[in-house]
Amino acid sequence: MSSTEQFTTRPEVTFAIAGVDALLLQFDQQLDPCMPGFLANIRQTIFREHGDVVQEVVPSYASLLVYYEPRLVRTYDLQQLLEVVVNDTPWLCSVWSVDTEAPGKLVEVPVWYFPEGHNTAAVNDMAAICKHTGLSQEEVVAEHSGIDYQVYALGFAPGFAYLGRVAERLEMPRLAKPRQNVPAGSVGIAEQQTAVYPQASPGGWNILGLSPFQWFNPNTEPMTPVQVGDRIRFKAISEAEYKQLLQAQGGQS
Amino acid sequence: MIGFRVVKSGILALVQDTGRLGYQHLGVTRGGPLDAKSAYWANRLLDNPADAAVLEITAGGVELESRTQTMVAVTGGDLNLTINGKPQVPWQSFWIRQGDRLKFSTPRYGFRAYLAVSGGLQTKPILGSRATVQRDHLGGIHGNGEPLKVGDELPCKHLAEEEISRQIPQQYLPQISQNITLHLIPGYQQHLFSKAAWQQFWGSEFSLSTHSNRMGARLSGPALETPKDTLLSEGVSYGAVQVPPDGQPIIMLEDRQTLGGYPKLGNILPLDGFVLAQCMPGAKIRFKPLSLAEGQQQMRRYLRFFGL
């Protein structure tokens, strides 16, 4: 992340070729709380107005990857159509940066935060986090669960939600060497971001707890309980509560 | 419905169709055959729809016993196919009876074979697709992304009557080679790379690393000079050539993660990706530039040919 400041004006869009059937719309290289709502609106308008030639639109922090059918529209023509959509989409930054009026719903996610010297969890970085930040375990928990996070993007794995921004005092560099296997439900932090691993996978984030929250289920509608633009609030629970909640789900993951 | 029993599971055998479309915004990978052209040919030999599910067999070692009678077609790399112990030339269709044994052993040339059955493999679709994506735990025989295991049963339809065996005309057989040139359409963050990095990229020979998989083809060669700026993660399209800090390019394939943050030189032509899918680790790879218009024209011809 190159910068942490917020935009005061709407960002400019640039177009990049991403292969024979994709265009990348880039807005800037900054983490901005107004961006997810702005991108969600653009995405919807693209499907509504150009759904005949556009197949998929993948949003991320400050970009949209648009997959199209090059046999139905010329790349340059599509770029002009998309430019119109972007320019017609309002930049509602001033409204959305106020928490109470933020777009999307607020979802509570329970977390069993590890004690510093917990040995039963195979992957526990709480001690390293305390050491690096100079905070006590209680302070780390208070910092992590004390603010609401915006869902900036879904990706990496089904239902993996990139959340930000993490309090500055809690910022941690990624692990120098990523782990081969991080257990499902692990709650991690890296730089300005935090996330929960929906399933066991390799990963390079610092792990501070476990959550029983289900992020993805292909048999439910919607498949992901949170969408880009929603907000997340972590709630500290005990080890016993964690195990109880996990059991209540009947091990469906 | 029982079609084939898995006697030997091989190194990696996966049920694949054209993939999960429309879920990348949730982080769901598309999947699909790495050599889609060979998969389409296998289906065409049986008059299957182009998106019928096939078996992708990587590097061989698979043995199947038929529990039904049907027509099958085998395309892609030559993995020394035998039927009931008798060697068979691929790129044709065969009549299979109950009890017949199909065996794919080590590659003679190429790396991935495709087995289609009449009507397509009948595993349960998940999110509209039968494609197996291991990292997403989706698709395949058990629906959880697992590759073929010994004792698994691959479901397919019973065919009442034998059909005529067909072959693919000589002129359409693929040119499989372990020394290839890939066409790259510059794009993405091409401007982030220095002139020296580009010269090195076009002028160097890379070799395909043993760490390659369905997510990405990892290349090893001279380390390219990489941009210093870190980027926010963004959508990654098929064939993107990204360069991580170690300067060794990775070509993103069908099982790539939906978002990624490394700088990219551009994308390879998908038709070349199919050729790449038949390369074994150690294969020699070079790059040369291609315009977007020329790339789109070549893809149009290919898609029209298969009626897609």
Side-chain angles (χ1 to χ4, degrees):
Chain A
M1 317 291 142
S2 46
S3 172
T4 59
E5 70 206 60
Q6 283 184 24
F7 297 124
T8 50
T9 54
R10 60 182 294 135
E12 291 292 312
V13 63
T14 57
F15 289 84
I17 291 164
V20 288
D21 59 357
L23 269 178
L24 184 73
L25 282 63
Q26 282 173 306
F27 292 87
D28 217 308
Q29 285 296 324
Q30 292 169 320
L31 213 59
D32 189 291
C34 316
M35 192 61 88
F38 180 62
L39 297 181
N41 281 345
I42 294 174
R43 184 171 182 272
Q44 262 174 15
T45 311
I46 291 174
F47 281 130
R48 193 174 60 238
E49 292 181 6
H50 307 297
D52 50 337
V53 296
V54 168
Q55 293 154 336
E56 289 205 45
V57 181
V58 187
S60 189
Y61 290 99
S63 64
L64 292 168
L65 181 63
V66 177
Y67 289 91
Y68 63 97
E69 172 51 88
R71 291 182 291 176
L72 297 178
V73 63
R74 284 194 295 191
T75 309
Y76 183 69
D77 293 343
L78 178 66
Q79 181 174 325
Q80 290 192 313
L81 294 173
L82 295 177
E83 220 162 350
V84 171
V85 173
V86 170
N87 291 333
D88 286 351
T89 305
W91 177 252
L92 297 171
C93 193
S94 57
V95 180
W96 288 356
S97 56
V98 180
D99 244 8
T100 51
E101 293 177 58
K105 57 190 182 296
L106 178 67
V107 179
E108 198 176 69
V109 173
V111 179
W112 162 40
Y113 288 99
F114 294 141
E116 231 177 296
H118 192 72
N119 290 326
T120 58
V123 176
N124 175 5
D125 296 316
M126 186 59 89
I129 294 167
C130 291
K131 191 172 169 217
H132 185 268
T133 59
L135 302 173
S136 69
Q137 193 267 2
E138 290 76 17
E139 286 170 326
V140 168
V141 173
E143 289 283 354
H144 191 257
S145 60
I147 50 174
D148 292 349
Y149 299 95
Q150 180 111 31
V151 180
Y152 277 97
L154 293 172
F156 176 70
F160 187 103
Y162 288 90
L163 311 172
R165 285 194 46 201
V166 166
E168 229 164 287
R169 294 170 71 191
L170 209 53
E171 283 184 20
M172 290 284 295
R174 282 184 170 77
L175 302 183
K177 197 170 177 229
R179 291 189 173 95
Q180 286 295 317
N181 196 26
V182 177
S186 293
V187 183
I189 51 174
E191 285 147 12
Q192 302 172 359
Q193 310 164 90
T194 181
V196 184
Y197 288 82
Q199 59 200 22
S201 74
W205 292 22
N206 306 271
I207 305 304
L208 43 68
L210 278 170
S211 171
F213 192 78
Q214 292 288 311
W215 296 87
F216 178 76
N217 183 346
N219 303 316
T220 59
E221 181 57 47
M223 290 177 276
T224 55
V226 300
Q227 309 290 329
V228 170
D230 285 346
R231 289 171 302 143
I232 296 286
R233 183 178 295 169
F234 291 114
K235 182 191 165 213
I237 57 170
S238 67
E239 180 175 3
E241 285 171 304
Y242 164 75
K243 286 181 172 160
Q244 208 176 354
L245 285 168
L246 199 64
Q247 212 163 31
Q249 286 164 0
Q252 51 177 266
S253 66
Chain B
M1 191 173 358
I2 297 177
F4 292 87
R5 193 175 62 88
V6 179
V7 180
K8 282 187 189 153
S9 58
I11 292 161
L12 183 66
L14 303 167
V15 175
Q16 293 294 347
D17 63 9
T18 40
R20 265 169 212 99
L21 305 177
Y23 300 104
Q24 287 191 56
H25 65 290
L26 303 178
V28 178
T29 297
R30 178 177 162 162
L34 284 193
D35 179 358
K37 194 176 177 182
S38 289
Y40 287 144
W41 266 120
N43 278 325
R44 172 173 271 209
L45 280 169
L46 302 173
D47 287 331
N48 283 347
D51 61 353
V54 301
L55 190 66
E56 177 181 273
I57 299 162
T58 300
V62 172
E63 192 170 344
L64 305 171
E65 186 192 68
S66 178
R67 293 291 185 85
T68 186
Q69 58 180 36
T70 185
M71 292 295 291
V72 305
V74 178
T75 61
D78 186 337
L79 303 187
N80 279 305
L81 169 71
T82 63
I83 298 178
N84 298 325
K86 201 173 148 220
Q88 302 289 345
V89 179
W91 290 85
Q92 56 179 312
S93 62
F94 306 93
W95 173 244
I96 296 293
R97 292 184 183 82
Q98 190 164 347
D100 283 355
R101 286 204 174 208
L102 279 79
K103 193 172 168 186
F104 298 84
S105 35
T106 51
R108 181 201 297 265
Y109 63 82
F111 198 49
R112 292 182 169 90
Y114 291 87
L115 170 74
V117 302
S118 192
L121 293 169
Q122 300 294 312
T123 51
K124 188 174 167 243
I126 293 182
L127 304 184
S129 165
R130 297 183 164 95
T132 315
V133 179
Q134 289 176 280
R135 55 186 302 275
D136 282 359
H137 306 285
L138 293 175
I141 295 177
H142 304 287
N144 60 1
E146 279 178 344
L148 248 60
K149 299 194 308 282
V150 172
D152 275 350
E153 279 163 358
L154 261 177
C156 72
K157 291 174 183 161
H158 170 93
L159 207 60
E161 275 178 55
E162 180 171 353
E163 289 173 4
I164 293 164
S165 171
R166 291 192 207 161
Q167 288 180 8
I168 289 169
Q170 193 74 32
Q171 78 249 36
Y172 293 125
L173 292 182
Q175 299 293 313
I176 290 175
S177 167
Q178 301 303 318
N179 192 340
I180 62 170
T181 299
L182 303 175
H183 296 85
L184 181 104
I185 300 161
Y188 267 65
Q189 297 95 17
Q190 54 170 308
H191 56 282
L192 295 180
F193 292 88
S194 66
K195 204 176 163 199
W198 276 107
Q199 279 173 344
Q200 219 177 0
F201 178 70
W202 297 126
S204 302
E205 185 178 84
F206 298 88
S207 70
L208 185 63
S209 154
T210 50
H211 298 297
S212 300
N213 55 30
R214 287 183 42 88
M215 283 177 68
R218 291 169 177 267
L219 307 186
S220 54
L224 302 180
E225 197 184 315
T226 54
K228 284 185 187 62
D229 295 345
T230 57
L231 302 169
L232 290 173
S233 288
E234 63 196 10
V236 180
S237 56
Y238 174 84
V241 180
Q242 60 178 31
V243 187
D246 68 0
Q248 304 290 306
I250 304 172
I251 306 171
M252 305 305 284
L253 303 174
E254 293 295 5
D255 281 6
R256 67 193 179 279
Q257 56 191 63
T258 54
L259 304 180
Y262 292 127
K264 298 159 202 82
L265 292 154
N267 296 67
I268 63 162
L269 181 70
L271 286 167
D272 290 353
F274 309 155
V275 178
L276 176 64
Q278 295 300 347
C279 285
M280 286 192 261
K284 300 294 171 218
I285 294 166
R286 288 180 164 273
F287 290 91
K288 85 180 184 196
L290 184 75
S291 74
L292 175 63
E294 174 61 27
Q296 288 177 332
Q297 201 183 342
Q298 289 193 34
M299 289 308 292
R300 257 199 303 275
R301 273 201 296 269
Y302 154 77
L303 293 169
R304 198 188 305 135
F305 181 86
F306 285 102
L308 296 163

